Amino acid sequence: MSVPHVVRRGVAELVGTAFLVAAVVGSGIAAQRLSPDDVGLQLLENSIATGAVLVALILALQPVSASFNPVVTLVERTLGLMTTGTAAVLVAAQVAGGLVGVVLTNLMFDLDAVSVSTHERGGSGQLLGEVVATTGLVLVVFGSLRSARVDTVALAVGGYIAAAYWFTSSTSFANPAVTLARTLSDTFAGIDPSSVPPFVLMQLVGGVVGAALLRLLHPRPLEAP
């Protein structure tokens, strides 16, 4: 008996988001340990690892499902690329995958499975950074999907996120599932739970702005996979 397509997509989103969070948090821990006195070098190491893993994961999982981000999934739903039920399954899988990824990463580095972060992030500049980062991500993802070579999406997204670590004041979280997961690791990449609601709200705002720009710039609709 064949596995339903929505189940396969959910598993791909769970696994992909878990590996993405592992890369973000794990490379942050490694960077903190290897370069304890140089925050700039820590961010460089963290951004390279995150961008690289995004390229690899999207290339590997794109034939099934490779959003790894509730905002991207919600924009897909807005564009009519999936049903509301499918979107709900994928978002739930992304959130679950992020939680699995952060727990596994903490354990890999001999830390407590869960350690709530105390790294407060916020302020108007960082919140604006999340709007900018998420808007750009939506434009890059869906703009690349309209190119003649769909495999360019992986390179475009990985490159964009690696760069956005540096050009946004918030270091480009741009992903509600990853943001939530990062509350459970009190390390370099962590975020205090109190900082999550405004970050996620700004990410959703960025998603709305990105979707509006997409409709303006790319009036031709995408076809559902």
Side-chain angles (χ1 to χ4, degrees):
M1 183 175 65
S2 62
V3 177
H5 185 53
V6 69
V7 174
R8 292 173 56 239
R9 293 191 68 179
V11 172
E13 291 293 335
L14 189 151
V15 171
T17 309
F19 272 104
L20 172 58
V21 168
V24 172
V25 176
S27 64
I29 296 171
Q32 201 169 33
R33 292 180 179 180
L34 295 170
S35 311
D37 301 317
D38 192 333
V39 178
L41 184 56
Q42 291 171 13
L43 185 61
L44 178 63
E45 293 159 346
N46 197 204
S47 64
I48 290 173
T50 302
V53 83
L54 272 169
V55 173
L57 290 172
I58 294 172
L59 285 173
L61 296 175
Q62 192 172 16
V64 183
S65 189
S67 298
F68 318 139
N69 188 329
V71 170
V72 173
T73 297
L74 291 175
V75 173
E76 288 182 283
R77 174 64 190 95
T78 300
L79 297 176
L81 300 178
M82 66 177 67
T83 65
T84 300
T86 297
V89 169
L90 299 191
V91 169
Q94 290 156 359
V95 172
L99 299 178
V100 169
V102 73
V103 169
L104 289 175
T105 304
N106 285 336
L107 293 174
M108 281 196 294
F109 285 90
D110 294 322
L111 301 172
D112 292 338
V114 171
S115 58
V116 178
S117 176
T118 57
H119 188 173
E120 294 185 5
R121 301 174 189 261
S124 59
Q126 288 195 23
L127 294 178
L128 177 60
E130 281 301 286
V131 176
V132 172
T134 312
T135 299
L137 176 61
V138 168
L139 289 175
V140 168
V141 169
F142 293 97
S144 299
L145 284 171
R146 286 168 166 80
S147 69
R149 292 179 54 194
V150 178
D151 57 341
T152 60
V153 176
L155 296 173
V157 173
Y160 174 80
I161 289 298
Y165 262 64
W166 291 90
F167 75 75
T168 64
S169 55
S170 62
T171 66
S172 185
F173 280 53
N175 185 326
V178 172
T179 303
L180 178 62
R182 287 168 67 167
T183 65
L184 302 184
S185 186
D186 193 18
T187 57
F188 178 79
I191 177 172
D192 189 283
S194 65
S195 303
V196 170
F199 260 57
V200 170
L201 177 60
M202 292 303 101
Q203 290 159 5
L204 293 173
V205 170
V208 171
V209 175
L213 287 172
L214 279 171
R215 290 188 179 278
L216 175 66
L217 298 173
H218 299 284
R220 176 177 60 86
L222 277 170
E223 294 183 2

